[in-house]
Amino acid sequence: MSDFDNKINEHFAGFVVRKDLVKVVKGNAIVPTYVLEYLLGQYCATDDEASIQTGIETVKDILRKHYVHRSEAGLIQSTIRERGRYKVIDQISVSLNEKTDSYEAVFENLGIKKVAVDSNTVKTHPKLLVTGVWCIADVQYEFSEEARVSPWILETIKPIQIAKVDYEQYRDLRRSFTTDEWIDLLMQSIGFRPEAFGRRSKLLQLLRLIPFVERNYNLIELGPKGTGKSHVYSEFSPHGQLISGGEITIPKLFVNNSNGRIGLVGYWDVVAFDEFAGREKTANKALVDIMKNYMANKTFSRGVNPMGAEASFSFVGNTDHNAPYMLKNSDLFEALPSQFHDSAFIDRLHAYLPGWEIDVIRGEMFTAGYGFIVDYLAEILRHLRSEDFSNRVQHYFKISEKISERDRTAISKTMSGLLKLIFPDGSQTEAEVEELLRLAMESRKRVKDQLARIDSTYPEVDFHYIGVDGVKRGVTTVEEEEYPQFYHTKGADGGDAQEDTLLDVPVAPLSIERKVGAPPPVLVTAHPAAQSSIALAEGHFVYAENRKGVSYDKLFGPYVDGASLVVVTDPYIRFFYQIRNMMEFVEMLVRRKRPEDQLRVHLVTAPDDGNLSRQRELLDSIKAACTGSGVEFSWAFDTSGAAHARDVVTDTGWKIVLDRGLDIFQPPIKTEGFSLGDRLQDHRVIKGFYVTYVKVAGETNKKIIDRVAGVKQPIAYDSSGPRADSRGAETS
């Protein structure tokens, strides 16, 4: 096990399980993950390998003997008859037979109906009356010659869920983990390998859990197929119910007028609507109207007294087009059925999760590490539903007064949910609150901006917040920064999108900080062959994580045009993918320069002590690859430890500072097939980073260039390997 897994087991012994065991024990049993993890939690919640293997065999034996496969239903029925009693694992629902004034159960897989159930069982487990619940049940068989009496009797029943958890212990143990560790623990708990996700991607995955931890929360996620949109609602918790969007009725969802029985919203914490999108689909207008009233007021009525409920709604569906197409031609809600493509319905959504930012789920994204038994975590989240953490924001930030009360409520509920998930102990810092606040505001802003497109009566809103320093800080969505030419509409009617214009250099986000008095950045289309006449501007640009459309050509191209020397200082050009980034930077320079020009590129980096020979070999291969291209590449190790900065300096007077250096792209998930992201930088997902463009004074720039201009010389080898020059720089 890793050190992290050891730490998890040390603090949460008995409440965590190795996540890859689910696949080991599942076999061909079609059961939710929480059912399997419930069993694994009984026998495999340990880090002792021998105990785990014994527990796996025990769980497999239980499933083999007691889980009912549909194809073997007849055999199990015979077993119950011959033995008189038998324990089964099945999905069970109960209904009232008014003719006999008795409750009768239906076993989904076992295929038996009219199973006698006593009233106390129904009172103890009322969810059985609404929908199927996975249970471990003892079934008896007593034949009666009276035709109206069923031979099947439900003797005992135990829903598969943990009865009680210690929330105070959970909260106290949270303090033993850093924020990053806790987020990674939650990621492993829902089955994912944290290393396969960036920070923003992790938070988007956790956003899917907010309906479980926040009452009456309305979330929508629209995106491509295969991103796991419905997985968390069908597999994660026994308190959530996933239904097909086209199969729901008013009596089933809200209340049955014939008997006054409340529907799904009265018994489940989360009701998720799968396959919700589809322009060709139709919905009952009365259902839509009741849903809108419930989403806004937490109550519903069908001609009788209003009734209240706490269930959160989650709507998930597939989109037919990508985000820029939707922004240019319609809106981000275009995939919804016409009855739901309604401003009143959309305005009641608290957050829009951008499904196009979620990677398609692949096998290498699943974890083999330890995470919470999902049933344990589900009970913790259910306990937290009764608390409100939104007031924690007020200690650090004030949301704009121009934002409407409905927008403010949406932001507060999203913030409360994220804080409950990540900081149940209240250990959040100002910076961490700001990160979550920006995500919460962005998730609501995505809804509000699309409303302005759909309905011209909705005004555009300035989403911003103010810190204790009194500084106003604006919030934008990722797609707003990535596609500004499509995102913002013309005129007050919210009609046509702006014309399709290329804004290539630099790719300026809207949340831009500039020096006081500096001119705005010039956004122009750059072409090869040095547009030296372009009036480039200084500026500071912040790029949001998970966006695309960013490349070295757009970031650096115009600023290196016309240069004869470019110096890259980046201490982290060590691993293969980082050296590949350096090669792609050189390729960009080769494409842009005039054929007759000569350009020298010099890299100052730090040695990789773990694999120095491989690093040298790869850097020298860049030098060899440039032969005959008109670009001369050289490199030097700064063994003095002084090269902490990450910047690009040209002899034309520009200095470009990046907090991440050239390492701005998220590493792709390795696959055997092809990926556009591997071939085209514009199609890669980026990390969050900033870049600052500074025009350096002539004398200062000369000193910077002179500092490295003389280091180009052959490596001198002796019996001990390459020698360092007098400045402590090993050179090539």
Side-chain angles (χ1 to χ4, degrees):
M1 293 193 302
S2 67
D3 292 340
F4 183 49
D5 285 328
N6 282 324
K7 183 175 182 178
I8 293 171
N9 268 286
E10 177 186 349
H11 290 86
F12 287 101
F15 299 109
V16 292
V17 68
R18 222 176 71 199
K19 290 295 174 171
D20 59 331
L21 298 183
V22 173
K23 292 182 179 179
V24 175
V25 302
K26 187 167 187 177
N28 62 346
I30 308 174
V31 294
T33 298
Y34 66 81
V35 173
L36 297 175
E37 289 200 14
Y38 174 85
L39 297 173
L40 288 170
Q42 308 296 308
Y43 302 99
C44 302
T46 176
D47 59 350
D48 179 68
E49 190 62 32
S51 299
I52 288 175
Q53 293 305 317
T54 302
I56 288 174
E57 293 305 316
T58 301
V59 173
K60 283 183 175 180
D61 188 56
I62 290 173
L63 289 173
R64 183 168 54 252
K65 291 181 178 179
H66 302 291
Y67 170 73
V68 180
H69 293 272
R70 293 178 187 270
S71 60
E72 300 175 351
L75 177 61
I76 300 298
Q77 290 178 22
S78 175
T79 301
I80 298 172
R81 177 185 181 278
E82 296 302 323
R83 296 187 180 183
R85 173 188 300 167
Y86 194 68
K87 189 184 297 294
V88 299
I89 299 174
D90 201 351
Q91 192 174 21
I92 304 171
S93 59
V94 175
S95 61
L96 174 65
N97 187 331
E98 297 172 347
K99 295 181 179 179
T100 61
D101 189 30
S102 62
Y103 291 105
E104 297 176 346
V106 175
F107 284 64
E108 186 69 24
N109 290 351
L110 188 55
I112 57 176
K113 302 178 180 179
K114 297 184 178 182
V115 182
V117 184
D118 66 75
S119 298
N120 289 332
T121 298
V122 175
K123 290 177 182 178
T124 306
H125 309 291
K127 280 187 182 179
L128 293 167
L129 292 167
V130 185
T131 188
V133 177
W134 283 95
C135 304
I136 300 175
D138 279 313
V139 183
Q140 283 184 293
Y141 184 89
E142 294 182 3
F143 179 73
S144 173
E145 295 184 356
E146 187 176 346
R148 297 180 59 185
V149 177
S150 171
W152 306 105
I153 301 171
L154 179 60
E155 184 181 11
T156 63
I157 186 171
K158 186 181 189 313
I160 294 179
Q161 58 189 75
I162 293 177
K164 186 179 181 181
V165 297
D166 188 342
Y167 169 66
E168 294 302 323
Q169 178 192 39
Y170 172 87
R171 188 180 64 181
D172 292 340
L173 290 175
R174 162 64 180 91
R175 299 189 179 98
S176 303
F177 293 79
T178 66
T179 299
D180 287 336
E181 287 176 336
W182 189 257
I183 291 175
D184 287 352
L185 173 54
L186 292 176
M187 287 293 292
Q188 290 189 176
S189 296
I190 58 179
F192 290 125
R193 184 167 64 90
E195 296 81 8
F197 298 82
R199 172 76 167 206
R200 177 178 169 88
S201 295
K202 293 175 184 178
L203 293 179
L204 291 179
Q205 290 288 345
L206 298 186
L207 200 64
R208 290 171 167 173
L209 301 182
I210 294 181
F212 289 100
V213 78
E214 196 69 23
R215 291 172 175 168
N216 299 103
Y217 185 78
N218 307 316
L219 174 70
I220 189 167
E221 178 182 355
L222 301 175
K225 299 177 181 177
T227 56
K229 291 184 290 293
S230 60
H231 169 79
V232 72
Y233 305 109
S234 62
E235 303 285 335
F236 175 74
S237 170
H239 304 305
Q241 182 71 11
L242 180 70
I243 56 178
S244 174
E247 294 180 356
I248 195 63
T249 62
I250 295 175
K252 184 176 180 180
L253 184 60
F254 291 108
V255 64
N256 189 325
N257 273 354
S258 63
N259 54 26
R261 187 181 301 149
I262 197 169
L264 296 172
V265 296
Y267 294 93
W268 297 92
D269 292 347
V270 181
V271 179
F273 300 84
D274 194 14
E275 300 174 355
F276 187 68
R279 295 291 293 176
E280 73 285 351
K281 293 183 179 180
T282 59
N284 185 319
K285 186 179 182 303
L287 172 64
V288 177
D289 290 339
I290 295 179
M291 288 179 69
K292 288 192 290 189
N293 184 61
Y294 174 74
M295 292 166 66
N297 305 314
K298 309 173 188 176
T299 62
F300 54 92
S301 174
R302 293 195 65 201
V304 293
N305 294 331
M307 305 176 71
E310 299 177 356
S312 297
F313 280 169
S314 185
F315 305 94
V316 295
N318 298 326
T319 54
D320 296 323
H321 305 111
N322 59 19
Y325 180 96
M326 291 188 286
L327 290 171
K328 181 179 180 180
N329 297 285
S330 53
D331 58 78
L332 296 179
F333 289 100
E334 70 161 21
L336 294 186
S338 57
Q339 291 87 348
F340 290 103
H341 195 270
D342 171 72
S343 58
F345 172 80
I346 292 172
D347 196 21
R348 287 157 168 77
L349 298 170
H350 295 125
Y352 187 141
L353 198 163
W356 50 87
E357 289 191 40
I358 307 294
D359 271 342
V360 173
I361 302 302
R362 295 180 290 272
E364 54 268 29
M365 299 171 74
F366 294 109
T367 185
Y370 281 79
F372 290 122
I373 299 169
V374 290
D375 192 35
Y376 168 77
L377 182 58
E379 294 301 319
I380 291 289
L381 300 188
R382 189 176 205 205
H383 174 88
L384 284 167
R385 285 172 70 86
S386 61
E387 301 190 28
D388 180 13
F389 287 6
S390 59
N391 61 339
R392 295 184 181 180
V393 181
Q394 300 169 7
H395 300 303
Y396 308 103
F397 303 104
K398 179 181 179 182
I399 299 174
S400 168
E401 294 179 354
K402 297 180 180 179
I403 294 179
S404 69
E405 189 60 32
R406 181 166 285 176
D407 293 333
R408 193 181 303 274
T409 298
I411 294 167
S412 296
K413 290 179 77 68
T414 303
M415 268 304 295
S416 178
L418 289 171
L419 289 170
K420 290 176 185 179
L421 289 167
I422 304 173
F423 303 104
D425 60 329
S427 61
Q428 67 281 343
T429 65
E430 180 179 350
E432 290 166 337
V433 169
E434 184 172 17
E435 177 186 27
L436 300 183
L437 178 60
R438 295 189 68 87
L439 178 60
M441 294 185 72
E442 174 197 339
S443 300
R444 175 58 185 178
K445 186 179 190 294
R446 186 172 290 109
V447 174
K448 206 59 182 281
D449 288 347
Q450 300 312 301
L451 278 173
R453 286 170 170 260
I454 296 169
D455 189 338
S456 60
T457 63
Y458 281 86
E460 293 187 1
V461 181
D462 180 14
F463 275 74
H464 70 270
Y465 59 97
I466 301 171
V468 292
D469 54 4
V471 176
K472 173 183 173 181
R473 307 174 193 185
V475 175
T476 58
T477 67
V478 171
E479 59 273 11
E480 181 178 5
E481 298 179 3
E482 192 170 352
Y483 311 109
Q485 67 271 37
F486 304 138
Y487 196 89
H488 297 282
T489 56
K490 280 197 279 188
D493 60 353
D496 299 329
Q498 288 184 353
E499 294 180 5
D500 182 3
T501 56
L502 290 175
L503 305 179
D504 282 352
V505 185
V507 188
L510 301 182
S511 55
I512 177 175
E513 303 171 27
R514 289 193 297 272
K515 292 183 177 180
V516 177
V522 179
L523 302 183
V524 295
T525 302
H527 302 283
Q531 300 287 335
S532 57
S533 61
I534 293 173
L536 299 173
E538 295 180 289
H540 179 75
F541 301 83
V542 181
Y543 291 84
E545 184 180 341
N546 271 20
R547 64 170 288 185
K548 297 180 181 179
V550 180
S551 66
Y552 290 161
D553 193 71
K554 293 177 179 178
L555 286 176
F556 305 113
Y559 293 89
V560 299
D561 285 342
S564 58
L565 173 62
V566 176
V567 179
V568 179
T569 304
D570 188 339
Y572 295 99
I573 305 294
R574 303 179 182 184
F575 303 127
F576 175 82
Y577 78 92
Q578 295 169 334
I579 300 175
R580 187 184 74 169
N581 288 340
M582 187 68 229
M583 181 63 194
E584 292 183 352
F585 179 84
V586 172
E587 290 172 355
M588 178 271 295
L589 297 176
V590 172
R591 287 193 299 268
R592 293 189 68 93
K593 79 172 201 62
R594 294 184 179 94
E596 66 273 18
D597 291 343
Q598 290 291 312
L599 174 60
R600 180 181 160 205
V601 183
H602 183 73
L603 168 68
V604 179
T605 189
D608 178 11
D609 295 332
N611 201 353
L612 192 58
S613 61
R614 176 62 172 164
Q615 183 185 17
R616 288 199 194 99
E617 178 186 344
L618 291 171
L619 290 173
D620 281 340
S621 71
I622 298 179
K623 180 178 180 180
C626 291
T627 303
S629 68
V631 172
E632 184 181 4
F633 178 76
S634 60
W635 59 270
F637 284 152
D638 183 352
T639 55
S640 68
H644 297 297
R646 300 185 185 185
D647 55 44
V648 177
V649 180
T650 73
D651 60 357
T652 55
W654 281 105
K655 181 177 182 180
I656 307 169
V657 181
L658 301 99
D659 62 331
R660 291 187 179 274
L662 298 181
D663 190 11
I664 64 172
F665 300 106
Q666 295 186 25
I669 302 297
K670 293 182 179 180
T671 62
E672 294 183 355
F674 300 101
S675 168
L676 281 177
D678 285 338
R679 310 298 303 164
L680 302 173
Q681 288 186 339
D682 281 336
H683 288 264
R684 289 182 199 166
V685 179
I686 66 169
K687 303 174 181 177
F689 72 95
Y690 71 73
V691 57
T692 305
Y693 301 92
V694 182
K695 187 67 173 176
V696 183
E699 183 63 27
T700 304
N701 186 64
K702 185 176 185 301
K703 290 180 180 178
I704 296 173
I705 295 299
D706 288 346
R707 175 164 53 86
V708 295
V711 301
K712 176 181 169 289
Q713 54 185 317
I715 293 181
Y717 286 89
D718 58 22
S719 58
S720 60
R723 297 195 300 270
D725 69 0
S726 59
R727 290 172 299 279
E730 181 191 314
T731 62
S732 172

